[in-house]
Amino acid sequence: MPELVPPVARVRASFVDAVAQFRAEGQSSFAGTSTLPPVDDHPGEFWSEEELADPAVFERFVARLVAFADPATELPHGYVHNTQLWWVADDDYLGRLSIRHELTEPLLTWGGHIGYAVKPTARRQGHATAMLASALPIAHGLGIDPVLVTCDTDHVASRRVIESAGGRYEDTRQGKLRYWVPTG
C-alpha cells in the first residue's frame, strides 16, 4: 500500500528511473531533481540524473529536501519552507508532493500551497488523488487551512483530483485554475 513519506534514500533506483521517464516525455521540470527552483536572482539548485545515481550524492539530495521543512533552515530570499513528501510503495517511488508552508506572490498567483507529480508509468491509478488526500491532514497540522492548489487550465485529470479533495474553484490566473481545499 503506497504511503506519503519524507524523502528516503532506499528508493534511489526507482527515483532515478522516474526522472528518466519524465525526461523521456519532455517533462523534466516535474521530475523533482531541483531542490530549489530558480527564483528572482537565485539560479536554483539542480541535481543531474547521473549525480543522483550515486548513492552518496542521493543521500545528500534527500537530506537537502528534508531540511527545507525545518523552519530553522535558512533559505535564500524568495523561497518558503516546504515539506517534501514522496509517495512510495516499499522501494518503489511513485510520485512526489510538496506542501509550501506559506505563499509568496507567485505562489498565490499560480503555484499554490501544494504541488504534486506522479511518475508516468504510475499515472491513472488513483495515486494523485490518494496523495492529495493524505497530504491534507499534514497541511492542517502545519496550520494551513485551507490550502491553495492549482493546475493548468487544460489538465483535466489534475482538476478532477483537486475537486475530489473538496477543492472550491476561485478563479483562473496566468493559465492556472485556482482552488481552495479545506484541510480540517
Side-chain angles (χ1 to χ4, degrees), residues 31-116:
T33 59
S34 168
T35 48
L36 291 174
V39 170
D40 297 331
D41 293 334
H42 192 280
E45 292 179 1
F46 298 91
W47 306 68
S48 73
E49 195 175 331
E50 294 75 24
E51 289 173 315
L52 295 175
D54 179 317
V57 172
F58 193 77
E59 285 189 25
R60 289 195 305 274
F61 169 73
V62 164
R64 186 79 170 139
L65 290 174
V66 170
F68 291 136
D70 183 351
T73 299
E74 205 168 309
L75 299 176
H77 174 73
Y79 292 92
V80 299
H81 288 94
N82 71 86
T83 300
Q84 183 81 214
L85 300 165
W86 288 353
W87 188 243
V88 301
D90 299 319
D91 291 343
D92 191 15
Y93 170 90
L94 301 169
R96 66 180 175 79
L97 181 140
S98 180
I99 303 171
R100 299 167 194 108
H101 298 187
E102 56 189 299
L103 297 176
T104 60
E105 191 60 36
L107 291 174
L108 181 62
T109 300
W110 55 264
H113 286 104
I114 295 180
Y116 52 86

Side-chain angles (χ1 to χ4, degrees), residues 98-146:
S98 180
I99 303 171
R100 299 167 194 108
H101 298 187
E102 56 189 299
L103 297 176
T104 60
E105 191 60 36
L107 291 174
L108 181 62
T109 300
W110 55 264
H113 286 104
I114 295 180
Y116 52 86
V118 175
K119 74 177 181 178
T121 56
R123 291 184 187 147
R124 292 175 179 75
Q125 299 173 33
H127 294 303
T129 300
M131 283 192 319
L132 183 55
S134 296
L136 295 176
I138 297 167
H140 189 78
L142 292 167
I144 309 168
D145 187 28

